[in-house]
Amino acid sequence: MRVLVLGSGAREHALVWKLSHSKLCSKIFCIPGNGGITEQAECINLSLDNFEELVTFARKEKITLTIVGPEAPLAAGIVDIFKQHKLAIFGPNKKAAQLEASKVFAKFLMKKYNIPTASFEVFDNPEEAKKYIDKFGAPCVVKADGLASGKGVVVAKTKEEAIEAVTAMMEKKIFGNAANKVIIEECLSGQEASILVFTDSREVIPLASSQDHKRVFDNDQGPNTGGMGAYSPTPLVSHKLFQEILEKIIYRTIDGIIKEGIVYQGVLYAGIMITKDGPKVLEFNVRFGDPETQAIIPRLRSDLLETMLATAFGTLSKVKRSGGLNWDSRYCSCVVCASGGYPGVFEKGKIITGLEEAQHIKDVLVFHAGTCIGQQQSDGKKVFLTSGGRVLSISGLGRSLREALQKTYQAVEKIHFEGIHYRRDIGAKALAMTS
Ligand code: AMP
Ligand code: GLY
């Protein structure tokens, strides 16, 4: 069957790579894709904002399943439009996507259905928000209600920082209308883990646990990014804790969504803080995580396309009855190679070298994000050029987390482009915990 993947990151590359191994899959298209995805899929340069054009493409190319990578088209209702046209699509509809697109929606749902999360207040007036901060004190967390490309959260150590965040979000409108409302919430402490599940609203099948590294520099210093590396599984989440997260967070959320009259089909991602009082939700995403996917998917032995079809068609119980998902028992780690300056301003168009050497290392996978194909000036040969902030995501598998990390960093060291930077401490905290 013919499959269409929407998106252009390393997450989508990992999905396309895995789908290309499916016995059910005859051809993959990716819109818009990136330099590396062209190896497994035909990349088509269309906009992800024009749903009618995407529907026409899916019809013309006889696509059996469209898979949505990023949150923006989900929040804008792409699933509803595809379904109106009787086209199968993997991902939640617009109402369900509010779990990520509106943090206020998510927080009220959690409150109503007794899902553990930080205590919070919602404000639509900056003066009220500032008064509350003055009374409540710091540390606290200021969050824009809507989508803000992963930048809408400020963990404020002081009252001044929190007030500044309110001014920037609500008065200077740095995120436009996304911060018409803000949440001010209790600052939680602990370690973070990402728990992703497939659900068709009837059945839930968890993916393997993982941990992201959001800050740009080693030792969790510097600003938040889209994610600088991940590994799976994480020893932070024992079998018992996993069950607790499923019971108290995942099942309650899906039951709550259903009680609100909403159907949820796709991946549900819970960002969890493991506090001394138990696991609490930091955020929900309505899609695969990036870079978590690049650490999880290489460990998946089952057919991804089969599972996605079952999710989209509401037949996940069949997958469950036939034993659920099968995982490689090895660890997988991934390290993101970013452009100099990311997550701030960065240059593009730098030649990337060392990709083949990295790829040839056993148990290493190179997933592209911000890359495009260019030509070497001297001889016209094909080269990969940088075209985004997060450029590559290198994944390595190993029998232990240490071995996975060794493989990954061995490959990362082969890669070069002007300004390259990456964290050197992915998985370090987990290693310290287990050794
Ligand atoms: P979010 O986009 O809501 O996941 O927030 C991004 C990051 O901000 C999270 O991964 C946490 O590191 C941090 N964060 C969010 N909410 C809180 C909170 N209530 N307490 C402490 N840190 C938080
Ligand atoms: N890894 C964080 C995210 O995908 O939002």
Side-chain angles (χ1 to χ4, degrees):
M1 71 182 62
R2 295 155 74 82
V3 176
L4 168 63
V5 175
L6 303 180
S8 60
R11 164 184 56 202
E12 285 76 16
H13 195 181
L15 295 176
V16 164
W17 168 81
K18 183 68 187 164
L19 291 166
S20 74
H21 291 96
S22 168
K23 59 184 186 309
L24 301 173
C25 187
S26 57
K27 165 118 191 165
I28 310 176
F29 293 92
C30 189
I31 297 178
N34 62 38
I37 293 177
T38 53
E39 314 242 317
Q40 288 102 18
E42 186 176 336
C43 293
I44 308 287
N45 197 11
L46 289 177
S47 161
L48 292 188
D49 299 330
N50 188 338
F51 296 165
E52 292 302 328
E53 201 172 54
L54 296 174
V55 163
T56 305
F57 178 85
R59 280 242 174 87
K60 179 169 87 65
E61 292 297 341
K62 301 193 172 16
I63 301 295
T64 304
L65 185 69
T66 297
I67 295 152
V68 190
E71 62 278 14
L74 295 169
I78 191 169
V79 170
D80 309 63
I81 301 282
F82 267 58
K83 287 195 170 161
Q84 278 162 22
H85 286 89
K86 308 249 173 305
L87 289 166
I89 184 160
F90 177 92
N93 61 28
K94 188 173 180 175
K95 277 192 178 161
Q98 288 179 95
L99 259 190
E100 175 167 358
S102 168
K103 289 189 193 288
V104 172
F105 173 87
K107 290 300 274 193
F108 282 123
L109 188 103
M110 287 189 264
K111 195 168 175 178
K112 186 163 172 187
Y113 294 100
N114 194 24
I115 297 154
T117 188
S119 58
F120 70 102
E121 290 293 335
V122 177
F123 298 91
D124 57 11
N125 174 321
E127 287 314 314
E128 298 289 319
K130 288 178 192 177
K131 259 194 248 163
Y132 179 79
I133 292 167
D134 204 39
K135 201 168 118 203
F136 184 86
C140 67
V141 184
V142 182
K143 296 185 171 183
D145 174 35
L147 295 179
S149 315
K151 294 180 191 134
V153 174
V154 174
V155 181
K157 290 196 191 76
T158 62
K159 277 188 193 178
E160 291 68 32
E161 258 180 86
I163 287 172
E164 210 175 288
V166 169
T167 305
M169 290 184 195
M170 300 190 90
E171 292 171 350
K172 296 192 183 148
K173 296 213 162 280
I174 58 169
F175 304 128
N177 288 336
N180 286 351
K181 290 185 187 158
V182 298
I183 293 166
I184 298 177
E185 72 178 34
E186 168 200 9
C187 189
L188 301 174
S189 52
Q191 287 241 47
E192 289 181 44
S194 304
I195 300 297
L196 283 72
V197 302
F198 286 108
T199 182
D200 59 3
S201 273
R202 298 187 184 108
E203 199 59 74
V204 173
I205 301 189
L207 285 100
S209 68
S210 60
Q211 189 182 42
D212 185 10
H213 296 64
K214 287 214 167 79
R215 302 295 186 116
V216 68
F217 300 127
D218 286 9
N219 301 315
D220 297 328
Q221 300 297 307
N224 266 334
T225 66
M228 293 299 287
Y231 66 88
S232 169
T234 171
L236 286 169
V237 182
S238 62
H239 179 72
K240 186 164 165 272
L241 181 57
F242 207 127
Q243 290 311 309
E244 188 182 344
I245 292 170
L246 289 177
E247 299 288 340
K248 291 191 180 155
I249 293 174
I250 301 292
Y251 300 157
R252 283 185 199 173
T253 304
I254 293 165
D255 285 349
I257 278 273
I258 294 169
K259 286 196 181 115
E260 295 298 308
I262 301 172
V263 174
Y264 195 110
Q265 289 183 326
V267 162
L268 174 65
Y269 161 146
I272 310 267
M273 184 78 92
I274 303 163
T275 74
K276 61 176 183 10
D277 303 319
K280 296 192 179 182
V281 177
L282 292 171
E283 65 163 345
F284 286 116
N285 294 319
V286 295
R287 48 162 178 86
F288 284 96
D290 187 342
E292 287 93 333
T293 304
Q294 299 92 287
I296 294 173
I297 289 296
R299 301 185 54 232
L300 181 65
R301 286 217 168 115
S302 311
D303 189 316
L304 178 62
L305 183 52
E306 207 173 289
T307 314
M308 288 180 145
L309 284 165
T311 307
F313 288 103
T315 56
L316 263 186
S317 58
K318 268 196 207 155
V319 176
K320 189 124 186 187
R321 275 201 304 276
S322 59
L325 298 179
N326 197 350
W327 296 96
D328 188 330
S329 61
R330 289 176 299 170
Y331 283 79
C332 183
S333 58
C334 100
V335 170
V336 169
C337 300
S339 294
Y342 172 82
V345 182
F346 54 83
E347 290 179 8
K348 297 179 186 176
K350 309 291 181 197
I351 294 178
I352 307 168
T353 58
L355 287 165
E356 286 202 3
E357 290 96 311
Q359 238 150 0
H360 283 142
I361 299 172
K362 194 171 168 288
D363 298 326
V364 163
L365 293 158
V366 175
F367 297 123
H368 290 230
T371 75
C372 61
I373 295 173
Q375 273 183 341
Q376 199 135 298
Q377 262 172 355
S378 50
D379 53 9
K381 260 195 185 162
K382 167 181 152 179
V383 280
F384 286 103
L385 303 172
T386 65
S387 65
R390 288 191 291 176
V391 176
L392 297 165
S393 195
I394 315 287
S395 298
L397 288 148
R399 276 162 305 172
S400 62
L401 178 57
R402 188 178 299 280
E403 195 183 283
L405 288 162
Q406 268 162 4
K407 288 259 174 193
T408 308
Y409 278 108
Q410 189 191 342
V412 167
E413 278 155 23
K414 305 277 181 213
I415 305 285
H416 184 73
F417 53 86
E418 193 189 314
I420 184 171
H421 80 90
Y422 53 86
R423 278 183 61 160
R424 284 154 214 274
D425 68 339
I426 301 302
K429 274 198 226 149
L431 274 187
M433 225 182 101
T434 49
S435 55

